[in-house]
């Protein structure tokens, strides 16, 4: 399972490879606000939430907190630091891998509120989350420069 999740992470990185900061910020599919950089930032938040907060029981606040209007800001990329955003995502993925590697089995659990989640569930959910967003990334990349493929 972990190799499938890593393949999904690598796919997102491939979708972003070779693009300028401006291209990574592009909202290429109207009227959506999605951008490749926004997806990277969103998936850093998802990794943080599921692996660090739920599974490891840490209390790590969002990397991209809410703005004054109460909106999450990971998709607001106009002034985002591209290098810092990728660094956060890569470091968060590394921390996720460390947490998973330390787990005794797929039956290890964590809690979110009153709900208990197994590592098996979390890994399956993360594969689905990346796969869905990699579909978005594929459309975004094709709109930016015509590149397609996994």
């Amino acid at each position: 399972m972990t190799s499938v999740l890593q393949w999904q992470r690598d796919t997102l990185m491939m979708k972003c490879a070779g693009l300028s900061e401006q291209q990574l910020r592009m909202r290429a599919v109207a009227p959506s606000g999605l951008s490749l950089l926004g997806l990277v930032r969103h998936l850093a938040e998802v990794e943080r939430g599921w692996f660090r907060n739920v599974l490891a029981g840490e209390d790590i606040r969002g990397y991209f907190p809410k703005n004054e209007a109460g909106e999450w800001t990971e998709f607001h990329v106009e002034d985002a630091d591209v290098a810092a955003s990728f660094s956060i995502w890569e470091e968060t993925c590394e921390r996720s891998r460390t947490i998973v590697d330390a787990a005794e089995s797929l039956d290890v659990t964590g809690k979110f509120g009153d709900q208990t989640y197994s590592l098996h569930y979390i890994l399956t959910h993360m594969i689905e989350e990346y796969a869905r967003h990699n579909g978005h990334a594929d459309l975004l990349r094709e709109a930016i420069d015509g590149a397609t493929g996994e």
Side-chain angles (χ1 to χ4, degrees):
M1 273 184 116
T2 57
S3 63
V4 176
L5 177 54
Q6 188 56 48
W7 183 80
Q8 293 290 340
R9 290 173 179 139
D10 293 343
T11 299
L12 180 60
M13 183 61 82
M14 182 192 69
K15 293 295 175 188
C16 296
L19 296 176
S20 69
E21 289 190 6
Q22 180 183 358
Q23 289 171 314
L24 289 166
R25 287 187 180 97
M26 278 182 68
R27 291 182 163 106
V29 182
S32 174
L34 282 179
S35 67
L36 289 169
L37 183 58
L39 289 175
V40 166
R41 290 161 54 100
H42 172 67
L43 288 162
E45 292 287 16
V46 174
E47 293 261 358
R48 173 198 54 82
W50 282 105
F51 290 110
R52 296 191 74 178
N53 289 355
V54 174
L55 192 62
E58 298 178 22
D59 185 21
I60 306 301
R61 298 290 175 216
Y63 302 119
F64 312 106
K66 291 182 179 182
N67 61 19
E68 293 91 31
E71 304 164 320
W72 292 104
T73 61
E74 66 251 37
F75 291 110
H76 299 203
V77 298
E78 297 78 17
D79 299 322
D81 184 316
V82 173
S85 296
F86 273 89
S87 180
I88 288 167
W89 176 59
E90 291 167 354
E91 289 170 12
T92 302
C93 290
E94 181 59 35
R95 179 70 177 125
S96 297
R97 285 189 290 273
T98 299
I99 290 167
V100 171
D101 290 347
E104 295 174 11
S105 76
L106 292 175
D107 296 324
V108 169
T109 61
K111 287 188 138 315
F112 180 70
D114 293 335
Q115 187 68 39
T116 300
Y117 296 95
S118 69
L119 175 55
H120 183 267
Y121 173 89
I122 293 169
L123 288 170
T124 302
H125 176 74
M126 290 299 297
I127 291 166
E128 180 274 330
E129 182 88 12
Y130 270 94
R132 180 168 21 94
H133 289 312
N134 279 337
H136 299 140
D138 197 41
L139 291 171
L140 289 163
R141 181 65 190 249
E142 185 175 11
I144 292 168
D145 69 356
T148 60
E150 300 191 66

